[in-house]
């Protein structure tokens, strides 16, 4: 069985307590690795190493920091098949998706923030009467990065890359459920040229390791992506310590289809993908599908036909559109949500059951893509994040009604809008209370743009220079040269 290690002060280290957690392949239900079940002591070692290394890194020229990030990207790219296989095995997602989306986007994150390191700059503000202000953007120091299991390496690099680019030292914790690719990345850190101690990875559970990072006095900021529940716990622990936090949390995203839209192949394929990509385990997935009454019947027929055609199966098979859900507890949660939807009076139009896959995946945790109709907009199914392959269909009549339904949950991460009416598109975009609005597309990402949610979907924005600003402290210097 593969044994993963922490990365502390540039070297692989076993957890001090000698305890390990099982890492399971959700497609087979079999444990295949063990990852450190680290403790606050291991976190303290990592923070010490980071604090010692900090000065050297924060005074390293930006182009040298950029070269380390770029080399790391190159090293991953050279082993992309190994990384993709590890990601698929750890999370249950189709290998083809890991190969085409997760790992390439992780590489893109590293390259993007390598460039950002050299492009990021302070500002100057000249005053009328002979004075000038200039603003320095200084690294914060030691920062914590905590990431979830759904897009493991993609979201891990999304945090560590800007933190390192801005000159900070990092203590990072990937999800214990999917630690494999972060560990693999850790094996390349030295070869990429990072000084020892600048980039530390501590594996373990959220309550033990995540919390220890959050409460450690020397950790100045926390960048977290995960559930709203954990985000609230982190905010509560960070606030009295006056730490900076960036919280990317859950979503209950609407996809809104107006009756003027042409239901062509590209549109239908994208709408289906927006519900079921990565088994629906993407915070950006559109799990509430609002369809204008005039095309409701026609849309539903075309949509269901496509959903029925999705193939659930062995993640290693190129023919599988959906793989396994990430873990048994998550599988149970999703199945409970489907049962709850039935109890709330919903009609399951397609799916609604476990899928049994033959052969090596006979014990895996697969769920059929599920579409449910007939639920009130304030039902728990339409309000709570499920984070699985479950989409509800909701008819609406008017633009105002669509807006009220879309905005009518505690979340505000991403909305997608399907219409050819440009005025309506702008009107809706201005009124949708979401951090991200996609018009006639979904998950089209430009890394320069601000990324994050409103309401219970988060606090702050990551991406582009927003991430660089988060990971730096502004110091304004005012010079009166009129004397
Ligand atoms: P969790 O909140 O359970 O965990 C996220 C990370 O936080 C994990 O590394 C976890 O560790 C850690 N953690 C758990 N408890 C604590 C704690 N008390 N203190 C510090 N860290 C802790 O989320 P999931 O991993 O289940 O991820 C799914 C969630 O992430 C969904 O709600 C989804 O919407 C959200 N998400 C949001 C995104 C966004 O950009 N807005 C993007 C992707 C996902 P461990 O797993 O080891 O226990």
């Amino acid at each position: 069985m593969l044994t993963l290690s922490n990365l502390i002060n540039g070297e692989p280290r076993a957890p001090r307590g000698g305890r390990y957690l099982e890492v399971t392949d959700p497609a087979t239900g079999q444990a295949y690795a063990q990852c450190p079940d680290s403790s606050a002591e291991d976190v303290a070692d990592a923070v010490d190493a980071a604090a010692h290394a900090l000065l050297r890194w924060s005074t390293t020229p930006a182009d040298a920091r950029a070269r380390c990030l770029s080399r790391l990207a190159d090293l991953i790219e050279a082993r992309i098949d190994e990384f993709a296989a590890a990601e698929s095995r750890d999370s249950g997602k189709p290998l083809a998706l890991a190969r085409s989306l997760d790992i390439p986007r992780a590489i893109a994150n590293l390259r993007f923030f390598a460039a950002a390191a050299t492009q990021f700059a302070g500002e100057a503000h000249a005053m009328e009467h002979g004075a000038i202000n200039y603003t320095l953007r200084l690294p914060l120091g030691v920062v914590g990065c905590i990431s979830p299991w759904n897009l493991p390496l993609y979201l891990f690099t999304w945090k560590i890359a800007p933190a390192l680019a801005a000159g900070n030292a990092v203590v990072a914790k990937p999800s214990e459920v999917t630690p494999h690719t972060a560990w693999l990345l850790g094996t390349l850190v030295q070869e990429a040229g990072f000084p020892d101690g600048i980039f530390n990875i501590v594996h373990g559970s959220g309550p033990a390791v995540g919390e220890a990072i959050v409460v450690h006095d020397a950790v100045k900021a926390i960048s977290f992506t995960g559930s709203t529940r954990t985000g609230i716990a982190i905010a509560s622990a960070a606030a009295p310590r006056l730490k900076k936090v960036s919280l990317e949390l859950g979503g209950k995203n609407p996809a809104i289809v107006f009756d003027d839209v042409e239901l062509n192949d590209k549109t239908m394929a994208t709408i289906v993908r927006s519900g079921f990509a990565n088994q629906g385990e993407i915070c950006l997935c559109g799990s509430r599908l609002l369809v204008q009454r005039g095309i409701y019947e026609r849309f539903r027929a075309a949509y269901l036909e496509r959903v029925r055609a999705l193939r659930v199966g062995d993640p290693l098979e190129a023919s599988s559109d959906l793989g396994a859900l990430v873990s048994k507890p998550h599988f149970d949660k999703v199945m409970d949500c489907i049962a709850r939807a039935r109890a709330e009076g919903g009609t399951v139009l397609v799916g609604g059951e476990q899928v049994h896959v033959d052969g090596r995946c006979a014990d895996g945790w697969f769920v059929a893509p599920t579409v449910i109709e007939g639920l009130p907009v304030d039902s728990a199914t339409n309000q709570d994040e499920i984070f699985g392959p479950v989409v509800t269909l909701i008819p609406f009549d008017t633009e105002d009604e669509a807006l009220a339904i879309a905005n009518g949950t505690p979340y505000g991460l991403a909305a997608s809008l399907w219409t050819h009416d440009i005025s309506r598109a702008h009107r809706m975009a201005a009124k949708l209370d979401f951090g991200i609005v996609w018009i006639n597309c979904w998950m089209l990402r430009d890394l320069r743009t601000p990324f994050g949610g409103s309401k219970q979907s988060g606090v702050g924005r990551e991406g582009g220079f927003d991430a660089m600003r988060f990971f730096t402290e502004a110091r304004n210097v005012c010079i009166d040269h009129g004397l």
Side-chain angles (χ1 to χ4, degrees):
M1 182 173 294
L2 180 66
T3 298
L4 311 185
S5 50
N6 292 327
L7 176 72
I8 297 178
N9 205 22
E11 60 183 30
R13 282 209 203 153
R16 275 181 181 266
R19 289 183 307 276
Y20 286 85
L21 299 161
E22 268 190 355
V23 183
T24 304
D25 175 347
T28 63
Q30 305 301 315
Y32 76 95
Q34 53 177 6
C35 96
D37 183 8
S38 307
S39 64
E41 281 185 303
D42 300 295
V43 170
D45 289 345
V47 175
D48 284 351
H52 277 103
L54 180 64
L55 183 63
R56 182 167 160 211
W57 182 246
S58 59
T59 52
T60 296
D63 63 341
R65 295 202 297 266
R67 274 199 299 280
C68 293
L69 287 164
S70 296
R71 271 200 297 266
L72 188 55
D74 294 345
L75 290 168
I76 296 173
E77 195 166 49
R79 294 165 66 174
I80 191 164
D81 291 327
E82 184 186 353
F83 270 84
E87 203 71 299
S88 168
R89 188 180 197 186
D90 231 8
S91 63
K93 70 180 69 204
L95 176 60
L97 187 71
R99 180 69 175 73
S100 63
L101 179 96
D102 290 74
I103 309 304
R105 289 210 181 180
I107 294 167
N109 287 341
L110 292 164
R111 292 202 171 125
F112 177 85
F113 284 108
T118 64
Q119 303 299 312
F120 188 51
E123 307 88 50
H125 298 92
M127 297 175 76
E128 283 167 16
H129 304 295
I132 187 162
N133 295 276
Y134 64 89
T135 308
L136 299 171
R137 300 263 169 198
L138 303 163
L140 297 172
V142 179
V143 298
C145 298
I146 303 175
S147 52
W149 48 254
N150 63 325
L151 302 168
L153 195 68
Y154 179 2
L155 293 175
F156 188 74
T157 51
W158 179 240
K159 297 181 175 304
I160 58 105
L164 292 165
N168 300 285
V170 169
V171 177
K173 191 198 100 59
S175 170
E176 79 194 35
V177 182
T178 53
H180 195 162
T181 46
W183 171 75
L184 267 180
L185 175 144
T187 65
L188 303 174
V189 163
Q190 224 175 11
E191 196 180 342
F194 289 95
D196 291 348
I198 269 307
F199 178 18
N200 305 276
I201 304 173
V202 186
H203 295 277
S205 76
V209 173
E211 208 172 305
I213 295 173
V214 174
V215 301
H216 197 297
D217 284 340
V219 175
K220 302 296 176 204
I222 302 292
S223 171
F224 169 80
T225 298
S227 65
T228 298
R229 184 179 39 79
T230 307
I232 291 170
I234 288 177
S236 312
R241 295 173 172 87
L242 301 179
K243 294 190 185 198
K244 230 175 163 181
V245 288
S246 170
L247 304 173
E248 302 287 341
L249 309 177
K252 188 72 185 173
N253 308 308
I256 308 168
V257 187
F258 283 96
D259 62 7
D260 63 74
V261 86
E262 191 194 331
L263 302 179
N264 59 29
D265 196 50
K266 184 175 173 214
T267 297
M268 291 306 295
T270 309
I271 294 174
V272 169
R273 202 165 55 84
S274 78
F276 298 105
N278 204 47
Q279 302 76 238
E281 296 167 326
I282 301 181
C283 53
L284 305 166
C285 276
S287 54
R288 294 181 296 148
L289 187 42
L290 281 54
V291 184
Q292 200 161 21
R293 193 95 51 189
I295 55 163
Y296 188 81
E297 298 298 329
R298 193 158 58 87
F299 177 90
R300 181 176 61 175
Y303 182 72
L304 294 181
E305 190 183 328
R306 280 175 185 264
V307 175
R308 278 193 198 99
L310 292 172
R311 289 150 305 183
V312 180
D314 186 339
L316 299 182
E317 298 287 337
S319 58
S320 298
D321 298 303
L322 280 77
L325 296 197
V326 75
S327 65
K328 175 74 164 65
H330 191 58
F331 167 86
D332 289 340
K333 179 199 153 180
V334 171
M335 293 306 290
D336 285 350
C337 287
I338 294 171
R340 180 183 64 183
R342 286 195 168 100
E344 286 183 312
T347 304
V348 175
L349 300 173
V350 54
E353 73 276 320
Q354 177 173 9
V355 175
H356 296 280
V357 177
D358 291 339
R360 76 171 199 108
C361 295
D363 295 325
W365 305 308
F366 297 85
V367 174
T370 298
V371 182
I372 304 171
E373 184 185 52
L375 285 165
V377 293
D378 60 355
S379 60
T381 305
N382 274 326
Q383 291 289 314
D384 298 347
E385 183 182 48
I386 297 173
F387 217 55
V390 182
V391 170
T392 55
L393 279 176
I394 306 172
F396 68 90
D397 289 301
T398 65
E399 199 175 302
D400 283 348
E401 191 190 354
L403 203 55
I405 296 170
N407 285 340
T409 79
Y411 295 103
L413 187 55
S416 57
L417 194 58
W418 297 88
T419 180
H420 294 313
D421 179 337
I422 190 164
S423 304
R424 167 190 280 156
H426 286 300
R427 258 193 324 270
M428 292 285 288
K431 291 181 188 162
L432 282 163
D433 196 359
F434 292 81
I436 300 155
V437 177
W438 277 297
I439 297 171
N440 298 330
C441 58
W442 176 74
M443 220 168 131
L444 194 53
R445 292 280 295 120
D446 179 331
L447 299 186
R448 295 168 298 182
T449 60
F451 181 92
S454 57
K455 302 196 286 187
Q456 297 221 349
S457 291
V459 175
R461 293 291 180 269
E462 297 188 344
F465 286 161
D466 284 289
M468 299 297 281
R469 278 189 281 271
F470 173 76
F471 282 116
T472 51
E473 183 104 80
R475 177 182 300 155
N476 192 66
V477 180
C478 179
I479 312 168
D480 185 347
H481 55 86
L483 289 177

